[in-house]
């Protein structure tokens, strides 16, 4: 198969196929890393599918908070599925190639779900703000129609951002090399292979990254400033503890996701390295989607109650022969 083909006009060659370098070139690490990430992916699929199924079948969890949580689980499941299977293939093949169209598709959906997760976490913070700071208006402010529109807007932000990056990528000519120094098709590793100007692409990346990280971050911080102020006004210790518990899982999920993605995209170029980028990318594309369902299940009393109800109902049906 030819790696390069001549352009109809011009002296450059365009890459029709890339090689993903992967996480490491050390042979002794291939099998341990394969087993680790295979286990992580299995946990991610089971955890997020389990969360979506539990929320869908348990009427006890049919509230805006868990409607958003099921959307977050769907985003995490898709994000991991876009990245991990191809990554696992890299550990068991001598040369992990990916065609240009496949690479662009992977890049597109990676951006869609990465941006969607940023804004979904902000929506979930707004939900907690409304529940704690305006409890009497909660059913009005977070009606089914409002929740549906918020989720649609989350995915629209992802689609708009991914489409903008994809359109800008059309103008990039890849001719320097075919090896992507990463385990998936990400923006910066791809731009490093360009032999055309990437100035516009870099400006677009900067603008969309700042907006999709900074805007949700400010929304989350603003929500939690108001939440903390409301919690401090609660007179009883039990009331303050209960209010904080409803937010603790979300705070942990936000810290893990935004911490890793900010480290990836907002660090100064003079201290950036591809090894650091790979570690950070692994965290928010693979580890965080695996941890989120565990965080929201192990630290959430409502999820435990709903799960116990379904298990008891199932055992009852089995005992009755239904």
């Amino acid at each position: 198969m030819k790696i390069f083909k001549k352009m109809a006009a011009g002296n450059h060659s365009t890459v029709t196929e890339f090689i993903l370098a992967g996480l490491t070139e050390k042979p002794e690490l291939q099998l341990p890393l394969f087993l680790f990430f295979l286990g992580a992916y299995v946990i991610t699929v089971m955890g997020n599918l389990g969360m979506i199924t539990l929320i869908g079948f348990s009427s006890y969890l049919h509230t805006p908070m868990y409607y958003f949580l099921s959307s977050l689980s769907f985003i995490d499941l898709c994000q991991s599925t876009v990245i991990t299977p191809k990554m696992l293939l890299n550990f068991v093949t001598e040369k992990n190639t990916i065609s240009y169209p496949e690479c662009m598709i992977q890049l597109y959906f990676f951006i869609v779900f990465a941006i969607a997760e940023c804004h979904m976490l902000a929506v979930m913070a707004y939900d907690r703000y409304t529940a704690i700071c305006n409890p009497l208006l909660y059913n009005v402010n977070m009606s089914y129609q409002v929740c549906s529109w918020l989720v649609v807007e989350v995915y629209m932000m992802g689609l708009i951002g991914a489409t903008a990056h994809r359109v800008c990528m059309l103008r990039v000519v890849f001719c320097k090399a075919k090896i992507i120094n990463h385990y998936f098709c990400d923006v910066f590793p791809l731009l490093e292979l360009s032999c055309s100007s990437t100035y516009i692409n870099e400006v677009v990346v900067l603008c969309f990254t700042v907006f999709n990280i900074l805007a949700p971050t400010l929304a989350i911080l603003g929500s939690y400033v108001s939440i903390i102020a409301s919690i401090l006004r609660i007179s009883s210790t039990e009331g303050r503890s209960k209010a904080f518990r409803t937010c603790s899982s979300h705070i942990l999920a936000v810290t893990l996701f935004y911490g890793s993605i900010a480290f990836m995209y907002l660090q100064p170029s003079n201290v950036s390295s591809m090894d650091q980028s790979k570690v950070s990318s692994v965290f928010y594309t693979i580890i965080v989607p695996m941890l989120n369902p565990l965080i929201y299940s192990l630290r959430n009393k409502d999820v435990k109650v709903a799960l116990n109800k379904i298990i008891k109902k199932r055992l009852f049906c089995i005992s009755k022969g239904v």
Side-chain angles (χ1 to χ4, degrees):
M1 180 182 293
K2 287 186 176 181
I3 300 299
F4 299 99
K5 66 178 182 180
K6 293 291 183 181
M7 295 179 66
N11 297 322
H12 296 297
S13 295
T14 57
V15 176
T16 60
E17 191 174 72
F18 297 104
I19 297 174
L20 294 170
L23 280 175
T24 180
E25 295 180 355
K26 297 179 180 180
E28 66 272 16
L29 295 179
Q30 299 293 327
L31 181 59
L33 287 176
F34 172 80
L35 294 175
F36 173 78
F37 288 114
L38 177 61
Y41 184 60
V42 170
I43 294 172
T44 300
V45 172
M46 293 179 62
N48 286 292
L49 277 180
M51 186 67 72
I52 294 170
T53 303
L54 178 63
I55 293 171
F57 282 96
S58 177
S59 58
Y60 183 71
L61 299 179
H62 288 178
T63 64
M65 175 181 175
Y66 294 103
Y67 175 62
F68 295 137
L69 180 54
S70 65
S71 295
L72 179 66
S73 294
F74 175 76
I75 291 170
D76 283 335
L77 176 62
C78 293
Q79 178 74 290
S80 184
T81 301
V82 166
I83 303 297
T84 311
K86 190 65 178 176
M87 177 189 182
L88 291 173
L89 189 62
N90 189 48
F91 292 119
V92 296
T93 56
E94 185 176 346
K95 187 170 68 174
N96 187 19
T97 60
I98 183 170
S99 69
Y100 177 85
E102 290 173 336
C103 185
M104 292 301 107
I105 290 172
Q106 186 184 58
L107 173 66
Y108 184 85
F109 285 104
F110 158 69
I111 295 173
V112 168
F113 294 116
I115 293 176
E117 179 140 2
C118 289
H119 291 280
M120 182 57 69
L121 289 171
V123 167
M124 294 172 74
Y126 173 71
D127 171 71
R128 292 299 83 208
Y129 159 77
T130 306
I132 294 174
C133 300
N134 298 295
L136 297 179
L137 298 175
Y138 182 73
N139 290 333
V140 175
N141 292 336
M142 301 304 295
S143 65
Y144 176 78
Q145 290 79 8
V146 172
C147 293
S148 298
W149 273 111
L150 287 172
V151 171
V152 169
E153 288 174 4
V154 163
Y155 288 109
M156 286 300 299
M157 294 301 297
L159 291 170
I160 291 170
T163 302
H165 285 297
R166 180 67 187 98
V167 169
C168 290
M169 199 63 71
L170 290 173
R171 60 180 299 279
V172 177
V173 178
F174 298 101
C175 59
K176 286 184 179 179
K178 62 181 180 179
I179 300 177
I180 301 174
N181 189 18
H182 215 328
Y183 60 91
F184 71 98
C185 293
D186 200 359
V187 176
F188 289 132
L190 280 169
L191 293 182
E192 288 181 359
L193 305 183
S194 172
C195 60
S196 60
S197 173
T198 61
Y199 176 76
I200 294 177
N201 298 75
E202 291 170 3
V203 171
V204 170
V205 169
L206 178 62
C207 292
F208 274 89
T209 300
V210 169
F211 175 76
N212 289 305
I213 293 179
L214 185 60
T217 299
L218 291 176
I220 291 169
L221 289 175
S223 297
Y224 276 107
V225 167
S226 299
I227 287 170
I228 292 172
S230 296
I231 290 176
L232 292 177
R233 288 196 295 267
I234 298 175
S235 57
S236 68
T237 304
E238 182 180 351
R240 287 196 296 269
S241 177
K242 182 178 179 181
F244 180 76
R245 281 198 302 270
T246 64
C247 303
S248 59
S249 297
H250 182 256
I251 292 173
L252 181 57
V254 166
T255 302
L256 290 173
F257 180 77
Y258 277 100
S260 58
I261 203 169
F263 179 80
M264 170 70 181
Y265 288 105
L266 297 182
Q267 61 178 318
S269 58
N270 61 331
V271 300
S272 176
S273 74
M274 188 50 62
D275 288 338
Q276 290 175 329
S277 297
K278 286 181 182 180
V279 172
S280 179
S281 296
V282 165
F283 208 76
Y284 75 80
T285 60
I286 297 173
I287 304 301
V288 169
M290 177 187 70
L291 292 178
N292 275 346
L294 300 177
I295 291 171
Y296 282 100
S297 60
L298 296 178
R299 297 175 59 86
N300 193 299
K301 183 179 178 180
D302 290 340
V303 171
K304 293 178 182 178
V305 170
L307 182 60
N308 287 333
K309 285 184 176 180
I310 288 180
I311 291 174
K312 289 179 180 178
K313 183 178 180 180
R314 182 59 183 167
L315 291 175
F316 177 78
C317 291
I318 292 174
S319 66
K320 294 295 184 180
V322 178

